[in-house]
Amino acid sequence: MAKRKPIRVAVACQGGGSHTAFTAGVLEEILRRREEKAIAIDALSGSSGGAMCAFLAWVGLLTDDVPKSIHLLEQFWTRIAANSWWDALGNATIVMGQSQMVRVDWSPYLFPEWGRQTLENLLNELVNVEAIAGLIRKDSPELLVGAVDVRSGGFHTFRNQDVTVDALLASAAIPMLFRSAPVGQEFYWDGLYSQNPPVRDLARRKPDEIWIIQVNPPARGAIPQTQEAIRDRRNELAGNLSLEQELFFIRKINQFVDRGCFRNGEYKRITIKKAIMERDLPYASKLDRNPGFIRDMIAYGRSQAVQLF
């Protein structure tokens, strides 16, 4: 029996702090079932924690080493969790403070950059980033990482070999937790404020489908009435704003394709699918690195990946 032609897929990974462990679970399941479902991953994109996950998956795909991608994702989230007693204490304090909406007028510029240094060290230990440029071929999957230029306000997308550790840290630089992240001569903040995640640029690759891993639930059944519930919903809507604008572009292109507006084959119709994190979780849990919570989010992501197949 002849093998069926693979579906060319681009995977876009939304950011959302510790909730992005959900993204890791979805990606792991996609990678495990890639051959069974005849999937060819043509591109990956991400912002913030989604950028970290997309990058780690991409590294293994560059050498067609899917087990390596899965191992890197598992290692990253296992080691980013608050495993030591002192880290667990600090994590609980931060989460409790956010849950109680403790307002402290402080700046990340007042303290050493422990968080950034921890992420930087971990990424460098897991991946030889400098060697990646030599692995990229003409037919390699593309990687896109979103961030925003703090001073100009311009959206910036790092591509392929430009996705350095500094670029990943820039995409994850949450303003109230991290200083603006330097890359070259510019300074960047979290991709939440630009493209969360980059989607419209994926159309250049002409995939058959774009799969969105969405960690901010698009809908809620109840009207938020408490301060905490209102803040949670505002954060979700802010995280989805840029995503919906990106998807509007793809849907509009599909309309133009259906009308025969593109005669030169510049664009093609692209199917959009989503794996959505549908749990009702408070904003504070986006900062929660409790190992049990991280493992649960990964397992939940694996189960929700079925929405894509």
Side-chain angles (χ1 to χ4, degrees):
M1 182 182 295
K3 284 188 176 181
R4 54 178 168 164
K5 184 179 178 181
I7 300 170
R8 294 178 58 236
V9 170
V11 184
C13 307
Q14 193 178 50
S18 293
H19 290 187
T20 325
F22 168 87
T23 301
V26 176
L27 281 173
E28 287 181 19
E29 195 65 16
I30 292 172
L31 292 165
R32 287 192 177 97
R33 302 180 68 175
R34 187 180 63 150
E35 289 191 9
E36 170 198 343
K37 297 295 183 179
I39 298 163
I41 299 177
D42 200 49
L44 291 151
S45 74
S47 290
S48 198
M52 303 284 179
C53 291
F55 170 74
L56 296 171
W58 179 67
V59 169
L61 291 174
L62 288 177
T63 55
D64 199 28
D65 189 349
V66 169
K68 180 176 182 178
S69 293
I70 294 172
H71 173 73
L72 288 173
L73 287 165
E74 290 175 343
Q75 281 295 300
F76 177 84
W77 286 101
T78 296
R79 295 176 60 178
I80 208 70
N83 295 299
S84 64
W85 69 266
W86 55 268
D87 198 9
L89 178 61
N91 177 66
T93 301
I94 291 172
V95 173
M96 185 179 297
Q98 286 294 322
S99 298
Q100 300 300 319
M101 293 195 298
V102 176
R103 302 299 186 192
V104 180
D105 188 13
W106 72 289
S107 164
Y109 290 86
L110 298 175
F111 303 94
E113 295 189 273
W114 291 310
R116 174 191 167 93
Q117 195 62 58
T118 297
L119 275 173
E120 183 175 358
N121 291 342
L122 177 54
L123 289 168
N124 281 320
E125 288 174 21
L126 291 176
V127 179
N128 181 359
V129 180
E130 292 181 358
I132 286 177
L135 300 175
I136 300 173
R137 302 289 182 261
K138 192 173 182 179
D139 60 347
S140 293
E142 186 172 32
L143 177 66
L144 307 176
V145 167
V148 65
D149 186 310
V150 176
R151 292 182 289 192
S152 74
F155 295 179
H156 188 84
T157 303
F158 298 95
R159 302 174 185 273
N160 293 340
Q161 65 269 19
D162 293 332
V163 181
T164 60
V165 169
D166 283 344
L168 291 168
L169 294 172
S171 183
I174 301 170
M176 292 310 296
L177 296 179
F178 298 99
R179 302 179 189 181
S180 57
V183 182
Q185 300 301 311
E186 306 302 333
F187 291 82
Y188 297 91
W189 271 347
D190 195 288
L192 167 68
Y193 304 102
S194 59
Q195 298 161 292
N196 188 26
V199 175
R200 69 181 67 187
D201 287 346
L202 297 173
R204 293 186 310 106
R205 301 285 291 195
K206 299 181 183 178
D208 300 310
E209 300 181 359
I210 292 177
W211 291 0
I212 309 296
I213 305 177
Q214 186 169 356
V215 299
N216 288 308
R220 288 291 187 205
I223 301 296
Q225 297 183 7
T226 66
Q227 271 198 331
E228 184 175 3
I230 291 169
R231 183 181 64 152
D232 292 345
R233 189 57 180 153
R234 282 180 59 192
N235 177 266
E236 290 171 350
L237 293 174
N240 285 335
L241 176 61
S242 61
L243 171 61
E244 290 306 316
Q245 291 172 335
E246 295 285 293
L247 291 179
F248 175 82
F249 177 87
I250 302 298
R251 294 183 180 115
K252 186 58 67 174
I253 289 294
N254 284 344
Q255 290 177 10
F256 289 147
V257 170
D258 292 343
R259 294 172 187 168
C261 297
F262 300 112
R263 303 291 185 182
N264 58 3
E266 183 180 1
Y267 291 101
K268 63 177 286 187
R269 166 167 270 282
I270 300 172
T271 300
I272 299 170
K273 294 182 179 179
K274 292 183 179 182
I276 303 174
M277 201 285 290
E278 297 175 322
R279 291 181 176 175
D280 186 0
L281 298 173
Y283 171 77
S285 64
K286 287 189 173 182
L287 305 178
D288 190 358
R289 294 181 296 110
N290 180 287
F293 178 71
I294 296 293
R295 288 193 298 269
D296 180 60
M297 290 301 294
I298 291 173
Y300 178 46
R302 291 174 184 149
S303 69
Q304 291 295 92
V306 69
Q307 298 174 353
L308 300 169
F309 302 123

